[in-house]
Structure formats: structure tokens, C-alpha cells
Amino acid sequence: MFNQKNKVTRADYEQWRAGQDETAARIASDPDRLLFHVEPELGWLNDPNGLVQIGDTYHIYHQYDPFDAAHGGPVLWNHLTTKDFVTYENHGPVLFPDSDLDSSGAYSGSAFVRDGKIHYFYTGNVKHFDRDDYDYVLTGREQNQIHVVAENPDELGEKRIAVGPVDYPDDIGTHVRDPKILEHDGIYYMVLGARTKDDRGCVLVYTSRNLEDWSYATRIELGEKFGFMWECPGYLELEADGGVPAKWLSFSPQGLEGGRWDRGNVYAAGYMPVTGDITGGDSAYDLGEFHLWDAGFDFYAPQEFASEDGRHILIGWMGMPDADYGNAPTVAHGWQHCFTVPRLLTKGENGTLLQTPVPELDARRSAAALTLRNGEEASLSPCFDLTAAPAGDFALTVAHGVELVYTEQDSTCVLQFTDPAQASGRTQRRTKLSAPCRSVRVVGDRSSLEIFLNDGAAVFSTRYYPAAGDVAVKISGTDALVYSL
Ligand code: FRU
């Protein structure tokens, strides 16, 4: 009924939603529903948008197709809030593809607070359907970067084009999206993911002094082709030793090929350390090695934001578009995908970033912890938090169907499914650590596992589908401490 060919207004949505109470109740009782992760009330969720703290409240938006768990419909922005990153209040959709600027979807973007007002920037996706020979890469599509100012995060104001197709360099095709705003010395920067006409991913940078008028500044790219499209760019600075900030560019490249990319996910999400100035100043810049944010099956298009107390927090979409595996059990119930737990970012070794669950999550830990001895198996709550400090090889099995195996000899960690019923098509992922594995933390939330190795130097995120109820967890090679969450 709803598709990208027609606009969707708030009234259309509300009329449709009025008939969905039964479906929503059925979804809410699915045993695969998560306890402390963001997930959609109905249908499909994709990447996090507009992450921002206002007062004591974190505002979280996400790409949302409530109409279809397999994402056949258009995307809206749904709004949630949290004060503790553990319980979330769902406020429902706030941004609809209801205008000529965004008629085929209110795509991803960000939020920026200035002088008490929230400035949202997102991509209005417009597809044309008057001909049947459009490829929607070079023809038949426009992507507008739209600016909306709001005083109330539940009521977004008038939509105006901040940067549109006339502002893109001539060699850029129709794919330009996911604006993220930064401020530096009184100048605002907008980074945009883009695809050149000859299929090279890059980031376009626009600048503004007032958030209204934008001009093209520069392009961030690599000498060698690195994928055909870079989605959801972000730029992050952390105070480092001696007051010199350490800097990173984050993006989600599509179309990486060859070598390790052929054994990994269909699309990647990662970051590169930056030296110099990527914002279009006079100095040159250099991009270092590309590090995956997460080596698991389900991680894409993350967004980072700074909290008022100066923490840098990353939230990823625990999903993967166009993958050859999926989430059949939840789709059958009418919903799909979730976010990762919010992750605190700190500086690691050699241009890397460490990710650890925000400490707020510790508040869910049970008073008493259980010690799981080397070689022992225990039946645990499916919401658990396990930590271990291995000194060499170790293996961990969850629900008899998912294994994490670490081999000290080559510092390699493998995540593999041994029970197809739990995998929904997932097979194996591996990562080589840059140092021997000396810490493991596994956060389980019913149908999700997030595994943090070496204090978050490497992470695996995956969905999995164990039978409802407690899960068997077995560790060998080391003891572990387990809390239920
Ligand atoms: C990332 C993404 C973004 C886009 C949005 C559309 O998964 O493809 O680039 O804005 O999803 O829903």
C-alpha cells in the first residue's frame, strides 16, 4: 500500500497506525524482542539519525519503515528518548516523506543544537516514475539535503533545501546523502556521503556560517578507488595526549572487493585516522588505515555524537542491508532489526578507537555474579553480561549454536554458527587482533550478542535465534564472571 511512489503524510500514517494495535501487541510479545536495545514497534528499523542530548535527555531518531518488515515501503524518522540508555520511550514518527523535496523517503541525517534550537539535516530522497528506463544511480533520482529547525524534538518545522543537486560537483551522480554537521571555530561543516558518476565513493564537505547558506568546500577521497559509495559519514575528534586532538573520519563504504572484503559483509562500516585538515583549509590531509567498526554479521551505518559531559558515543544499526542472511524469525512476526548498545569511544593504539558499552548498562547487572569455571556450562538468562580475562586460547559457546573461538598463536578470533536454526543464514566471521586477547565481554539480549575483545579494540555484533528462555553458556580456556541483565 505504501511505497516510494507516493508521499506519506502524518495523517496517512496515523490512519494506518490506528488499525495496527493487534499487530503491535503481537510483535511486543515475540520472545525475540530485546530488553534494552532500540527496536521498531512495527516493521523495519534501519540506521540511527539525529542523535543529540538536550538537558538530561538523549534524543534518538531512526530510519523507519513501519509498513513492511522486509522494507518494501518508504522511510520516515521515528523518535525515541532515553535518560539512561537502558529504557527508551517511543514517541512515534516525526518526519514524513510528505513534500516534493522528500517524496520517496526521509533518508538519514543528523541534529545539531544551537541557541536552544535544534537544527535537523536529512536527505530528501526523490525518485521519478514517469519513465521505465531510469537506473536511479545516474538518472531518475534527486537527493536534497534538507534543513528543518525545531524547538520541540517531536515537532519538526518547515523543510528547506540547504544543499541540493545544483550544488553538487559535476562528476557526482544522484547518490548524495546523510548530512552530518560539525562546528569548528565558528564555522559549520556538513559532510555528505557521495558516489561519483564513475562509481567511486567519497565525502563532500560544505561550509556555512549560519547553518542556512552553504557552499561547497572540498571533497574527501582516496587515491585508489575504495568502494562505489560512502554512506553515513562522520568526523570525530578526541582530546589526546598533550592537548593535540586525534581525529577520525567514519563512513560506510559499499562495494569493497577482493581479499578480506570477499569473506566479510556485503557492506562495510569503519573509520580512518586523519592527519592534517580535511575541512577544506589550506593544509593537506592524510587518511590512515581503514578499520572496521565491527567484525560481526550485523553492523552498519553507525552515528556518533558527543554528550554534554564530553563523551563520544557511537550507536550502530545492528543490521546489514542486501545480505545473504537475515532475520526470518522476527520478519515472520512483523518486525526486523535493532540498534547496538550505545558504545563509549576512547582512543586506542595506532590510530584505532576502542568501543565499550556505556557504563549506564552496568545498572542492569544483577546484584550477584555467577562464576563460570573453565570447562563448565551454565543455563543463563538470555540477557547476560559475561566478562573474562583469558591468558591464551579460549572458546565460548552460547545456546549450543554460536561459538567464539580464539587462537593465541595467530591472535585470531572466529565467530561461527554451528546450528543453522539459530543462524538465519549466518556462517562465520573472523578478526585478527593486533595484540593477544586478554579481555572478553559478551552482552547478550535475547536475540542479539555483542562481543568486545581487548577492551573494545575489536567487536563482533550479531543477531541469533536461540529457543525462547534461558540459554546454555559454556566457556573453556578461562573462567568467566556472568551477570544477568
Ligand atoms: C544507510 C542508508 C543511508 C540512507 C538510508 C535510507 O543504511 O542507505 O545512506 O540515507 O539508509 O534509509
Side-chain angles (χ1 to χ4, degrees), residues 247-464:
K247 307 180 267 192
W248 291 269
L249 178 74
S250 168
F251 57 103
S252 294
Q254 300 189 319
L256 301 182
E257 284 175 347
R260 69 171 171 137
W261 305 120
D262 292 345
R263 293 185 295 275
N265 294 343
V266 53
Y267 303 140
Y271 60 84
M272 288 172 147
V274 175
T275 42
D277 181 7
I278 55 167
T279 53
D282 294 335
S283 77
Y285 67 84
D286 192 36
L287 297 172
E289 191 186 338
F290 181 79
H291 299 276
L292 282 181
W293 282 114
D294 192 301
F297 297 93
D298 298 282
F299 187 94
Y300 191 64
Q303 189 171 98
E304 174 271 337
F305 78 106
S307 61
E308 284 176 3
D309 60 6
R311 297 188 294 171
H312 289 269
I313 297 172
L314 183 85
I315 300 181
W317 171 27
M318 214 193 294
M320 180 54 62
D322 304 328
D324 58 4
Y325 48 86
N327 303 287
T330 72
V331 175
H333 274 96
W335 67 286
Q336 186 169 198
H337 298 312
C338 64
F339 283 175
T340 65
V341 290
R343 299 171 179 178
L344 192 63
L345 298 180
T346 51
K347 187 172 173 286
E349 299 287 320
N350 299 323
T352 61
L353 286 158
L354 304 178
Q355 299 167 61
T356 47
V358 287
E360 282 90 333
L361 199 67
D362 296 355
R364 281 199 70 93
R365 285 179 166 177
S366 50
L370 175 120
T371 303
L372 195 58
R373 300 265 172 229
N374 185 355
E376 229 175 49
E377 177 175 302
S379 184
L380 303 177
S381 152
C383 303
F384 66 89
D385 189 348
L386 176 150
T387 50
D393 291 358
F394 73 88
L396 178 79
T397 309
V398 182
H400 298 137
V402 187
E403 276 177 4
L404 181 74
V405 181
Y406 169 71
T407 317
E408 180 89 356
Q409 201 197 1
D410 54 1
S411 302
T412 295
C413 215
V414 175
L415 173 70
Q416 59 201 9
F417 280 81
T418 54
D419 178 358
Q422 294 180 28
S424 205
R426 289 167 188 76
T427 50
Q428 187 190 81
R429 290 289 179 267
R430 65 174 57 226
T431 191
K432 190 166 164 55
L433 304 177
S434 55
C437 187
R438 293 294 174 261
S439 80
V440 186
R441 180 165 177 196
V442 183
V443 175
D445 187 358
R446 289 187 170 158
S447 56
S448 80
L449 292 172
E450 286 162 271
I451 299 162
F452 301 86
L453 305 167
N454 278 351
D455 300 319
V459 189
F460 283 110
S461 298
T462 190
R463 302 301 299 281
Y464 80 124

Side-chain angles (χ1 to χ4, degrees), residues 4 44 46-47 49 63-64 71 74-77 105-109 123 125 143 177-179 229-233 252 254 267 300-301 317 321:
Q4 292 195 332
W44 160 281
N46 56 305
D47 31 319
N49 298 153
Q63 292 286 284
Y64 186 34
H71 194 21
V75 273
L76 329 173
W77 274 37
Y107 274 19
S108 290
T123 301
N125 187 46
Q143 294 197 321
R177 56 180 171 268
D178 311 335
M229 170 71 193
W230 293 2
E231 294 192 311
C232 300
S252 294
Q254 300 189 319
Y267 303 140
Y300 191 64
W317 171 27

Side-chain angles (χ1 to χ4, degrees), residues 77 101-102 105-109 121-125 142-146 168 176-179 192:
W77 274 37
L101 305 180
D102 58 8
Y107 274 19
S108 290
F121 289 87
Y122 74 100
T123 301
N125 187 46
E142 280 129 44
Q143 294 197 321
N144 302 304
Q145 316 313 323
I146 300 175
Y168 306 147
V176 184
R177 56 180 171 268
D178 311 335
L192 282 171

Side-chain angles (χ1 to χ4, degrees), residues 187-202:
I187 300 180
Y188 301 102
Y189 296 87
M190 178 193 292
V191 288
L192 282 171
R195 174 176 184 157
T196 63
K197 285 180 178 159
D198 63 352
D199 298 325
R200 295 162 70 102
C202 63

